[in-house]
Amino acid sequence: MNTLRTLKKLVLGETWLLPVGVAMILLLAALVIRPLASGTWDHLGGFAILVGAGVVLVLSVARGARPR
Amino acid sequence: MTFVLVALGAAVAVSVELLEALAIVLAVGVSRRWTDALIGAAAAVVACGLLAALVGPLLLESVPLDALRVTIGVLLLLFGLEWLRKGTLRLAGRRARSSSLAEYVEAQEELEDAPLPPVGQADWAGRLVAFKGVLLEGVEVVLIVSALAARPSGSTPALVGSAVAIVAVLAAGVWLRKPLARIPETELKWGVGVLLSAFGVFFAAEGLGVEWPGGDVALLYVAAFFATVSQVHSRVLAREAIPA
């Protein structure tokens, strides 16, 4: 059990916020933004993913900085 | 330019992970016996080699190109954002700084209660601590290098960067025989976090059909974005921590 927990921490990290956040960004980008903005996706789609990843980073740091 | 950035990313990521593994092997070698420390470490290297042989071809052969880019992007983004999250908290003083020396002391403390068997008998406690330490850091190395090496343009830069890191860290370990306390590990890990996150976003977006303005140059401005967000956030947090 201890090894499984360590492996899970190794791949998914210490907080669920990052894997859930990354999954949400990519699903939102692929299933919603890409079909809606098909004309501009090729050149601007990367920036949507970049901003999403930035938001996930800020939220996860803010959560980690909260006193427990 | 992508060659240099991928090689650099692989080299620094592998270096910081190997430094931690090296600290644990050194702790076992210095406080117990070198043969047992090296046997434990060698067994973990074999296990990591088997994992690499399994993960690399699996990624390259069984996943279509665009799906492969997204898979690599997600893996790198998960590692990168986690390192960057911890790095931001460390730079803000909200988390203990990263230190191989701490790993060294921890490994020695872990072995304090286990009596050393007489010469000629295997020291299983020492072997196990060395094996566990190298395996855990090694698995992370295998996953990061496999993701960087599985890019459609080839595995050479990731393998070159990793090889340079392995030679440099092993040479430092053999030469000094103690953890490298003066290396700014927190800043190095923060830099790896920035690079891996940038690669992650770059590849994931390419896999979803994005053509980045400027081509490979995009890696630089994506990395600059993550570096800026992290630095600004760490300074805000550091300022909040100072009582008025």
Side-chain angles (χ1 to χ4, degrees):
Chain A
M1 280 311 282
N2 198 24
T3 313
L4 275 180
R5 208 174 299 134
T6 310
L7 276 175
K8 193 182 88 181
K9 199 174 140 188
L10 198 74
V11 178
L12 297 177
E14 289 176 4
T15 164
W16 281 101
L17 205 63
L18 287 180
V20 170
V22 168
M24 278 176 65
I25 295 164
L26 294 178
L27 286 175
L28 197 71
L31 302 177
V32 180
I33 304 174
R34 193 179 175 189
L36 285 178
S38 54
T40 52
W41 172 259
D42 286 1
H43 295 294
L44 298 178
F47 297 101
I49 296 173
L50 179 60
V51 170
V55 170
V56 170
L57 173 66
V58 169
L59 290 176
S60 67
V61 170
R63 195 185 159 108
R66 273 203 314 234
R68 289 170 196 177
Chain B
M1 190 201 332
T2 316
F3 186 101
V4 175
L5 286 174
V6 172
L8 183 72
V12 185
V14 172
S15 299
V16 290
E17 293 299 335
L18 283 186
L19 274 176
E20 289 176 8
L22 180 71
I24 294 165
V25 176
L26 289 173
V28 177
V30 168
S31 61
R32 312 284 285 197
R33 274 195 295 259
W34 283 104
T35 44
D36 292 296
L38 294 176
I39 287 170
V45 169
V46 171
C48 289
L50 290 174
L51 181 69
L54 198 78
V55 172
L58 192 79
L59 272 178
L60 277 175
E61 284 165 20
S62 56
V63 187
L65 187 63
D66 279 343
L68 179 67
R69 284 185 170 134
V70 175
T71 309
I72 294 168
V74 169
L75 267 177
L76 292 175
L77 202 49
L78 284 177
F79 276 115
L81 287 179
E82 177 68 3
W83 285 37
L84 201 47
R85 183 185 75 86
K86 289 181 191 167
T88 309
L89 289 169
R90 284 178 182 133
L91 292 176
R94 298 295 184 98
R95 193 184 172 108
R97 287 179 69 84
S98 182
S99 163
S100 292
L101 192 63
E103 303 259 0
Y104 180 87
V105 173
E106 211 172 282
Q108 283 194 327
E109 283 172 358
E110 204 176 334
L111 286 165
E112 256 172 16
D113 297 334
L116 184 65
V119 179
Q121 276 186 34
D123 173 18
W124 287 106
R127 287 180 186 185
L128 194 68
V129 169
F131 176 80
K132 199 175 75 178
V134 175
L135 185 72
L136 288 178
E137 306 301 340
V139 167
E140 206 162 342
V141 166
V142 167
L143 290 177
I144 291 171
V145 175
S146 296
L148 286 173
R151 294 166 57 249
S153 55
S155 57
T156 312
L159 296 179
V160 167
S162 308
V164 169
I166 289 170
V167 171
V169 173
L170 285 181
V174 170
W175 183 43
L176 290 172
R177 297 219 174 176
K178 61 184 177 184
L180 308 170
R182 283 187 186 171
I183 285 189
E185 285 177 50
T186 298
E187 287 74 12
L188 278 177
K189 284 188 167 181
W190 177 84
V192 175
V194 168
L195 276 178
L196 294 185
S197 302
F199 282 124
V201 167
F202 185 84
F203 294 137
E206 274 193 335
L208 291 174
V210 167
E211 286 172 26
W212 285 97
D216 288 351
V217 175
L219 275 169
L220 293 182
Y221 58 73
V222 172
F225 171 82
F226 280 117
T228 307
V229 168
S230 166
Q231 283 292 335
V232 169
H233 202 175
S234 76
R235 276 163 208 210
V236 170
L237 287 174
R239 207 169 297 152
E240 279 174 6
I242 300 169

mmCIF file of all heavy atoms in Angstrom, chain B residues 207-232:
data_model
loop_
_atom_site.group_PDB
_atom_site.id
_atom_site.type_symbol
_atom_site.label_atom_id
_atom_site.label_comp_id
_atom_site.label_asym_id
_atom_site.label_seq_id
_atom_site.Cartn_x
_atom_site.Cartn_y
_atom_site.Cartn_z
ATOM 1 N N GLY B 207 -0.533 18.659 -30.446
ATOM 2 C CA GLY B 207 -1.326 17.444 -30.624
ATOM 3 C C GLY B 207 -2.787 17.748 -30.912
ATOM 4 O O GLY B 207 -3.492 16.942 -31.522
ATOM 5 N N LEU B 208 -3.244 18.945 -30.451
ATOM 6 C CA LEU B 208 -4.644 19.341 -30.700
ATOM 7 C C LEU B 208 -4.754 20.213 -31.955
ATOM 8 O O LEU B 208 -5.748 20.903 -32.150
ATOM 9 C CB LEU B 208 -5.192 20.080 -29.474
ATOM 10 C CG LEU B 208 -5.390 19.222 -28.222
ATOM 11 C CD1 LEU B 208 -5.796 20.076 -27.028
ATOM 12 C CD2 LEU B 208 -6.444 18.148 -28.463
ATOM 13 N N GLY B 209 -3.713 20.222 -32.775
ATOM 14 C CA GLY B 209 -3.785 20.902 -34.079
ATOM 15 C C GLY B 209 -3.322 22.345 -34.094
ATOM 16 O O GLY B 209 -3.511 23.055 -35.082
ATOM 17 N N VAL B 210 -2.682 22.820 -33.004
ATOM 18 C CA VAL B 210 -2.233 24.223 -32.952
ATOM 19 C C VAL B 210 -0.908 24.375 -33.699
ATOM 20 O O VAL B 210 -0.029 23.523 -33.607
ATOM 21 C CB VAL B 210 -2.051 24.668 -31.473
ATOM 22 C CG1 VAL B 210 -1.298 25.987 -31.391
ATOM 23 C CG2 VAL B 210 -3.395 24.778 -30.786
ATOM 24 N N GLU B 211 -0.794 25.492 -34.461
ATOM 25 C CA GLU B 211 0.506 25.848 -35.050
ATOM 26 C C GLU B 211 0.995 27.082 -34.301
ATOM 27 O O GLU B 211 0.433 28.164 -34.448
ATOM 28 C CB GLU B 211 0.354 26.158 -36.534
ATOM 29 C CG GLU B 211 0.129 24.912 -37.361
ATOM 30 C CD GLU B 211 -0.213 25.246 -38.803
ATOM 31 O OE1 GLU B 211 0.183 26.317 -39.283
ATOM 32 O OE2 GLU B 211 -0.906 24.424 -39.417
ATOM 33 N N TRP B 212 2.008 26.924 -33.474
ATOM 34 C CA TRP B 212 2.461 28.038 -32.626
ATOM 35 C C TRP B 212 3.070 29.159 -33.475
ATOM 36 O O TRP B 212 3.923 28.886 -34.321
ATOM 37 C CB TRP B 212 3.521 27.540 -31.633
ATOM 38 C CG TRP B 212 2.959 26.736 -30.517
ATOM 39 C CD1 TRP B 212 2.908 25.382 -30.437
ATOM 40 C CD2 TRP B 212 2.365 27.229 -29.313
ATOM 41 N NE1 TRP B 212 2.316 24.997 -29.268
ATOM 42 C CE2 TRP B 212 1.975 26.106 -28.562
ATOM 43 C CE3 TRP B 212 2.111 28.495 -28.797
ATOM 44 C CZ2 TRP B 212 1.352 26.219 -27.324
ATOM 45 C CZ3 TRP B 212 1.488 28.610 -27.567
ATOM 46 C CH2 TRP B 212 1.112 27.489 -26.851
ATOM 47 N N PRO B 213 2.654 30.413 -33.242
ATOM 48 C CA PRO B 213 3.299 31.532 -33.938
ATOM 49 C C PRO B 213 4.796 31.554 -33.608
ATOM 50 O O PRO B 213 5.168 31.514 -32.442
ATOM 51 C CB PRO B 213 2.595 32.769 -33.351
ATOM 52 C CG PRO B 213 1.301 32.263 -32.814
ATOM 53 C CD PRO B 213 1.554 30.852 -32.368
ATOM 54 N N GLY B 214 5.632 31.570 -34.632
ATOM 55 C CA GLY B 214 7.081 31.572 -34.414
ATOM 56 C C GLY B 214 7.682 30.178 -34.374
ATOM 57 O O GLY B 214 8.893 30.037 -34.201
ATOM 58 N N GLY B 215 6.869 29.133 -34.502
ATOM 59 C CA GLY B 215 7.395 27.753 -34.468
ATOM 60 C C GLY B 215 8.017 27.407 -33.119
ATOM 61 O O GLY B 215 7.413 27.659 -32.069
ATOM 62 N N ASP B 216 9.260 26.889 -33.154
ATOM 63 C CA ASP B 216 9.930 26.451 -31.920
ATOM 64 C C ASP B 216 10.214 27.603 -30.953
ATOM 65 O O ASP B 216 10.394 27.384 -29.749
ATOM 66 C CB ASP B 216 11.259 25.766 -32.260
ATOM 67 C CG ASP B 216 11.029 24.403 -32.895
ATOM 68 O OD1 ASP B 216 9.866 23.953 -32.903
ATOM 69 O OD2 ASP B 216 12.008 23.809 -33.371
ATOM 70 N N VAL B 217 10.263 28.844 -31.480
ATOM 71 C CA VAL B 217 10.508 30.018 -30.620
ATOM 72 C C VAL B 217 9.416 30.117 -29.546
ATOM 73 O O VAL B 217 9.639 30.663 -28.464
ATOM 74 C CB VAL B 217 10.563 31.314 -31.482
ATOM 75 C CG1 VAL B 217 10.695 32.559 -30.624
ATOM 76 C CG2 VAL B 217 11.736 31.234 -32.449
ATOM 77 N N ALA B 218 8.245 29.552 -29.863
ATOM 78 C CA ALA B 218 7.137 29.578 -28.896
ATOM 79 C C ALA B 218 7.548 28.985 -27.552
ATOM 80 O O ALA B 218 7.076 29.421 -26.501
ATOM 81 C CB ALA B 218 5.948 28.821 -29.463
ATOM 82 N N LEU B 219 8.457 27.997 -27.596
ATOM 83 C CA LEU B 219 8.914 27.392 -26.333
ATOM 84 C C LEU B 219 9.471 28.462 -25.395
ATOM 85 O O LEU B 219 9.296 28.394 -24.175
ATOM 86 C CB LEU B 219 10.003 26.346 -26.615
ATOM 87 C CG LEU B 219 9.508 24.955 -26.981
ATOM 88 C CD1 LEU B 219 10.654 24.099 -27.483
ATOM 89 C CD2 LEU B 219 8.852 24.287 -25.769
ATOM 90 N N LEU B 220 10.156 29.460 -25.980
ATOM 91 C CA LEU B 220 10.767 30.512 -25.156
ATOM 92 C C LEU B 220 9.714 31.395 -24.512
ATOM 93 O O LEU B 220 9.771 31.685 -23.318
ATOM 94 C CB LEU B 220 11.730 31.362 -26.005
ATOM 95 C CG LEU B 220 12.975 30.649 -26.509
ATOM 96 C CD1 LEU B 220 13.855 31.609 -27.294
ATOM 97 C CD2 LEU B 220 13.770 30.057 -25.342
ATOM 98 N N TYR B 221 8.704 31.847 -25.319
ATOM 99 C CA TYR B 221 7.727 32.735 -24.691
ATOM 100 C C TYR B 221 6.762 31.984 -23.775
ATOM 101 O O TYR B 221 6.270 32.547 -22.801
ATOM 102 C CB TYR B 221 7.033 33.693 -25.669
ATOM 103 C CG TYR B 221 6.275 33.128 -26.841
ATOM 104 C CD1 TYR B 221 5.045 32.494 -26.651
ATOM 105 C CD2 TYR B 221 6.742 33.269 -28.137
ATOM 106 C CE1 TYR B 221 4.322 32.024 -27.728
ATOM 107 C CE2 TYR B 221 6.021 32.787 -29.232
ATOM 108 C CZ TYR B 221 4.821 32.161 -29.023
ATOM 109 O OH TYR B 221 4.093 31.688 -30.095
ATOM 110 N N VAL B 222 6.536 30.702 -24.053
ATOM 111 C CA VAL B 222 5.706 29.909 -23.124
ATOM 112 C C VAL B 222 6.451 29.734 -21.794
ATOM 113 O O VAL B 222 5.880 29.899 -20.709
ATOM 114 C CB VAL B 222 5.350 28.534 -23.746
ATOM 115 C CG1 VAL B 222 4.677 27.634 -22.724
ATOM 116 C CG2 VAL B 222 4.424 28.722 -24.946
ATOM 117 N N ALA B 223 7.777 29.456 -21.881
ATOM 118 C CA ALA B 223 8.584 29.320 -20.654
ATOM 119 C C ALA B 223 8.631 30.645 -19.897
ATOM 120 O O ALA B 223 8.525 30.667 -18.659
ATOM 121 C CB ALA B 223 10.000 28.865 -21.005
ATOM 122 N N ALA B 224 8.757 31.760 -20.640
ATOM 123 C CA ALA B 224 8.800 33.089 -20.002
ATOM 124 C C ALA B 224 7.489 33.362 -19.261
ATOM 125 O O ALA B 224 7.487 33.943 -18.168
ATOM 126 C CB ALA B 224 9.061 34.161 -21.048
ATOM 127 N N PHE B 225 6.372 32.928 -19.837
ATOM 128 C CA PHE B 225 5.070 33.114 -19.199
ATOM 129 C C PHE B 225 5.027 32.393 -17.843
ATOM 130 O O PHE B 225 4.667 32.979 -16.820
ATOM 131 C CB PHE B 225 3.962 32.584 -20.127
ATOM 132 C CG PHE B 225 2.600 32.515 -19.493
ATOM 133 C CD1 PHE B 225 1.784 33.640 -19.414
ATOM 134 C CD2 PHE B 225 2.115 31.315 -18.958
ATOM 135 C CE1 PHE B 225 0.526 33.571 -18.820
ATOM 136 C CE2 PHE B 225 0.859 31.235 -18.372
ATOM 137 C CZ PHE B 225 0.061 32.365 -18.304
ATOM 138 N N PHE B 226 5.430 31.105 -17.837
ATOM 139 C CA PHE B 226 5.393 30.342 -16.580
ATOM 140 C C PHE B 226 6.363 30.936 -15.543
ATOM 141 O O PHE B 226 6.031 31.024 -14.360
ATOM 142 C CB PHE B 226 5.749 28.869 -16.842
ATOM 143 C CG PHE B 226 4.611 28.064 -17.375
ATOM 144 C CD1 PHE B 226 4.674 27.484 -18.629
ATOM 145 C CD2 PHE B 226 3.456 27.880 -16.624
ATOM 146 C CE1 PHE B 226 3.620 26.739 -19.133
ATOM 147 C CE2 PHE B 226 2.391 27.136 -17.121
ATOM 148 C CZ PHE B 226 2.474 26.571 -18.382
ATOM 149 N N ALA B 227 7.550 31.341 -16.019
ATOM 150 C CA ALA B 227 8.536 31.915 -15.094
ATOM 151 C C ALA B 227 7.983 33.189 -14.458
ATOM 152 O O ALA B 227 8.103 33.399 -13.240
ATOM 153 C CB ALA B 227 9.833 32.210 -15.840
ATOM 154 N N THR B 228 7.336 34.023 -15.268
ATOM 155 C CA THR B 228 6.805 35.286 -14.755
ATOM 156 C C THR B 228 5.670 35.041 -13.756
ATOM 157 O O THR B 228 5.659 35.618 -12.660
ATOM 158 C CB THR B 228 6.282 36.162 -15.928
ATOM 159 O OG1 THR B 228 7.328 36.264 -16.887
ATOM 160 C CG2 THR B 228 5.879 37.534 -15.457
ATOM 161 N N VAL B 229 4.721 34.176 -14.138
ATOM 162 C CA VAL B 229 3.583 33.893 -13.246
ATOM 163 C C VAL B 229 4.096 33.378 -11.899
ATOM 164 O O VAL B 229 3.667 33.835 -10.827
ATOM 165 C CB VAL B 229 2.629 32.844 -13.892
ATOM 166 C CG1 VAL B 229 1.621 32.319 -12.880
ATOM 167 C CG2 VAL B 229 1.908 33.453 -15.078
ATOM 168 N N SER B 230 5.058 32.439 -11.948
ATOM 169 C CA SER B 230 5.569 31.841 -10.716
ATOM 170 C C SER B 230 6.318 32.855 -9.858
ATOM 171 O O SER B 230 6.137 32.917 -8.637
ATOM 172 C CB SER B 230 6.482 30.660 -11.077
ATOM 173 O OG SER B 230 7.212 30.267 -9.975
ATOM 174 N N GLN B 231 7.178 33.664 -10.496
ATOM 175 C CA GLN B 231 7.967 34.647 -9.739
ATOM 176 C C GLN B 231 7.063 35.701 -9.083
ATOM 177 O O GLN B 231 7.246 36.038 -7.915
ATOM 178 C CB GLN B 231 8.974 35.354 -10.667
ATOM 179 C CG GLN B 231 10.184 34.516 -11.008
ATOM 180 C CD GLN B 231 11.095 34.263 -9.808
ATOM 181 O OE1 GLN B 231 11.112 35.040 -8.865
ATOM 182 N NE2 GLN B 231 11.818 33.169 -9.820
ATOM 183 N N VAL B 232 6.096 36.203 -9.858
ATOM 184 C CA VAL B 232 5.182 37.219 -9.305
ATOM 185 C C VAL B 232 4.411 36.637 -8.123
ATOM 186 O O VAL B 232 4.310 37.235 -7.054
ATOM 187 C CB VAL B 232 4.215 37.739 -10.404
ATOM 188 C CG1 VAL B 232 3.104 38.588 -9.795
ATOM 189 C CG2 VAL B 232 4.975 38.530 -11.449
#
